[in-house]
Amino acid sequence: MNLTLKIWRQKNANDKGKMVDYPISGIEPDMSFLEMLDVLNEELINKGEEPVAFDHDCREGICGMCSLYINGEAHGPDRGVTTCQLHMRMFNDGDTIYIEPFRAAAFPVVKDLVVDRSAFDRIQHAGGFVSVNTSGNTIDANSIPVNKHDADDAFDAATCIGCGACVASCKNSSAMLFVGAKVSQFALLPQGQVEATDRVMNMVKQMDEEGFGNCTNTGACEVECPKGISLENIARMNREYLKASFKG
Amino acid sequence: MSGILNSSIGRKFAMALSALFLMIFLLQHFIINFSSIISADAFNNLSHFMGTNWLIQYIMQPVLIFGVVFHFVMGFILEIRNKGARQIKYAKNNGAANSSWMSRNMIYSGLFILIFLVIHFIDFWIPEINTKYIQGDMSGLLPSGEYRYYEELVHKFQPLWRVALYCLGFVFLALHLLHGFMSAFQSVGANNKYTRALKGFGKAYAIVIPLGFIIIALVHHFNH
């Protein structure tokens, strides 16, 4: 396959940045998108140019490290996959492919396609956990009965890998699908009830302080989420938040 | 509870509550207007009741005005904040791949509805306030001794430009409601096993009510 790549290049956080065209040839349809970028970077290094910086780690679709806004969609045109699991067979010979970083004021660009998603970490620190006594008398988690339906929903919410595709896809750069999933995975379980009020209040407060936008329920996040996190989690977070607010 | 409007979810909740209130108002407005194509007397009686009942005039009318103003002001505040959450736009963004046009353009459909409402206020509300509260005529009667409401309604729908603007206003209202109805329920946390049915009902509401208003305008325009 012969392609034209239009890639966002930005030297550092303070650089203005611009889109740069790179023709590339000899790409196999079975290559992953990141392998295609590896080929490009090898060519750039051989030419003595600066390779394109992009985030990646496991390349198995489970770590949430890869990102990229490809042809106007987070993680590209395929559904239910991260960029590392996106394959070049989704494109045609001769295509022009736009590759941009996830855009949000709360996700500043570090370099080229690498963005700082530590805002998500700070939201997690604000309440995305349960406090467990680990002093030697820890109660076996299985000793607390959990309704199967709730356990399944909690597990579904917990599959969020925190990649930030929801923020990147949302026209408002809202992080509510991420925070909704993180609130839900505990709100659905008895273990999460003790800190339920503080959790949702603190996580939403941190989310707002980070500068994410307001959800307007377009549903773009749900469509683009590589893990299929449902909008039901945002509704559950809204309920949890309102319940906690009225409780005082 | 304090400062709930300072949080993103609190603002969403307030926006949704005002939307739900406005949707209930719209339904009763539609029922009264629809009565005009069935019976002039029914429309006159209902209009006179709404126009003179103290509960409607002094309690519900201010609540309605507050609801409308709040919905618009909060809509603009949210839009400005949301624009600020992404300062650098994408060179290529395929919004149609993951969301409806209506959901992405609520501010524009809302703006057109606002323009329509300004004209509606000039056309209807200001003359009503003038007649009832400045000239002090609460009788609702024409010099002939008949109620004035039906006559005024028919008269308003004679100029073609007003009918066209009216119809266009309701097309934008339908677009606004096609996203807004379900969005309001999602914002108050209602997303459960009834969501599918509610979505269907919402679509029907978003199409039937505005279409009904358009039919009312066209019937009066072409029948008189």
Side-chain angles (χ1 to χ4, degrees):
Chain A
M1 294 168 84
N2 297 319
L3 303 162
T4 303
L5 306 177
K6 285 181 177 289
I7 302 179
W8 181 260
R9 299 304 309 261
Q10 184 174 333
K11 285 193 183 86
N12 53 50
N14 300 321
D15 182 30
K16 212 169 157 225
K18 61 174 193 275
M19 298 297 286
V20 178
D21 289 6
Y22 295 98
I24 189 166
S25 53
I27 298 300
E28 296 293 326
D30 292 336
M31 280 181 179
S32 78
F33 199 84
L34 296 187
E35 283 166 344
M36 183 275 292
L37 286 179
D38 291 339
V39 171
L40 172 74
N41 274 348
E42 203 171 343
E43 284 179 14
L44 291 176
I45 291 166
N46 287 340
K47 280 197 277 185
E49 291 180 30
E50 182 78 9
V52 177
F54 61 91
D55 272 324
H56 60 105
D57 191 2
C58 75
R59 297 206 179 195
E60 291 178 336
I62 54 169
C63 77
M65 196 61 208
C66 60
S67 55
L68 305 187
Y69 210 69
I70 302 161
N71 271 354
E73 287 184 77
H75 298 300
D78 207 354
R79 290 284 169 262
V81 296
T82 50
T83 297
C84 63
Q85 299 293 298
L86 175 71
H87 286 83
M88 296 312 295
R89 66 182 82 97
M90 292 298 293
F91 301 91
N92 300 310
D93 186 36
D95 276 0
T96 296
I97 305 175
Y98 283 74
I99 309 169
E100 299 174 75
F102 280 179
R103 294 275 186 215
F107 286 170
V109 173
V110 176
K111 184 180 180 181
D112 294 337
L113 303 170
V114 176
V115 295
D116 178 0
R117 285 169 281 180
S118 57
F120 271 14
D121 297 338
R122 290 187 288 275
I123 294 170
Q124 280 287 69
H125 295 166
F129 52 81
V130 284
S131 302
V132 177
N133 185 345
T134 54
S135 60
N137 53 356
T138 311
I139 300 168
D140 189 301
N142 291 325
S143 66
I144 305 170
V146 180
N147 179 302
K148 174 78 167 76
H149 184 75
D150 290 342
D152 287 348
D153 284 350
F155 187 82
D156 286 347
T159 59
C160 167
I161 52 176
C163 65
C166 46
V167 174
S169 308
C170 176
K171 77 179 189 69
N172 312 316
S173 303
S174 170
M176 287 205 189
L177 193 67
F178 167 76
V179 183
K182 297 303 172 194
V183 165
S184 287
Q185 78 179 65
F186 297 116
L188 285 158
L189 299 175
Q191 289 90 336
Q193 299 311 308
V194 181
E195 293 152 308
T197 302
D198 286 345
R199 175 181 302 112
V200 70
M201 295 303 283
N202 292 341
M203 289 181 85
V204 169
K205 184 169 172 278
Q206 189 64 38
M207 170 180 80
D208 291 347
E209 282 174 9
E210 296 291 348
F212 293 105
N214 285 271
C215 169
T216 53
N217 308 318
T218 67
C221 53
E222 182 184 52
V223 175
E224 299 293 353
C225 175
K227 297 297 162 189
I229 302 293
S230 159
L231 282 185
E232 283 177 31
N233 292 298
I234 299 182
R236 188 177 296 106
M237 172 177 65
N238 294 346
R239 289 199 297 276
E240 289 288 316
Y241 184 83
L242 293 168
K243 209 163 59 181
S245 299
F246 287 110
K247 228 193 249 178
Chain B
M1 181 60 203
S2 62
I4 194 171
L5 282 181
N6 289 326
S7 79
S8 52
I9 295 180
R11 283 189 286 263
K12 257 165 74 112
F13 181 65
M15 192 70 182
L17 282 189
S18 61
L20 290 167
F21 171 72
L22 293 175
M23 287 193 289
I24 293 167
F25 163 74
L26 189 70
L27 182 66
Q28 70 84 23
H29 194 333
F30 172 71
I31 291 167
I32 293 172
N33 280 28
F34 194 75
S35 72
S36 72
I37 59 173
I38 298 169
S39 157
D41 284 344
F43 179 74
N44 275 329
N45 290 330
L46 282 169
S47 300
H48 189 65
F49 171 78
M50 296 297 283
T52 53
N53 182 276
W54 70 269
L55 182 70
I56 305 288
Q57 287 296 301
Y58 301 120
I59 309 285
M60 293 313 289
Q61 186 163 258
V63 170
L64 173 66
I65 292 167
F66 175 76
V68 171
V69 172
F70 179 87
H71 196 70
F72 277 109
V73 170
M74 188 55 95
F76 287 125
I77 291 171
L78 289 175
E79 181 69 14
I80 291 164
R81 292 180 71 94
N82 290 342
K83 283 265 183 283
R86 177 171 294 136
Q87 280 130 3
I88 302 170
K89 286 187 174 175
Y90 289 112
K92 183 169 181 178
N93 186 34
N94 188 6
N98 51 40
S99 54
S100 69
W101 184 92
M102 286 78 81
S103 73
R104 296 192 307 276
N105 293 283
M106 291 296 273
I107 190 71
Y108 299 111
S109 53
L111 268 175
F112 199 92
I113 295 164
L114 178 61
I115 293 167
F116 170 79
L117 276 183
V118 168
I119 294 166
H120 190 49
F121 261 52
I122 295 167
D123 255 2
F124 165 78
W125 196 73
I126 293 173
E128 273 295 301
I129 294 295
N130 181 37
T131 305
K132 287 190 296 202
Y133 300 112
I134 296 172
Q135 295 177 18
D137 178 9
M138 298 292 281
S139 70
L141 298 173
L142 292 167
S144 64
E146 289 181 17
Y147 274 136
R148 61 183 168 84
Y149 310 105
Y150 184 78
E151 285 302 314
E152 284 176 359
L153 178 82
V154 169
H155 176 73
K156 288 284 182 198
F157 285 129
Q158 292 322 296
L160 186 63
W161 69 265
R162 187 181 278 123
V163 174
L165 188 76
Y166 193 90
C167 293
L168 198 60
F170 279 103
V171 168
F172 277 94
L173 182 66
L175 294 172
H176 202 71
L177 287 170
L178 274 169
H179 174 69
F181 186 96
M182 200 52 228
S183 182
F185 283 91
Q186 165 80 10
S187 288
V188 297
N191 189 336
N192 48 39
K193 61 183 174 179
Y194 303 112
T195 298
R196 262 176 82 97
L198 203 58
K199 263 187 187 165
F201 181 77
K203 273 191 183 147
Y205 179 95
I207 293 166
V208 169
I209 304 282
L211 188 65
F213 273 108
I214 290 172
I215 290 169
I216 294 164
L218 294 178
V219 166
H220 289 305
H221 179 73
F222 289 109
N223 270 2
H224 295 91

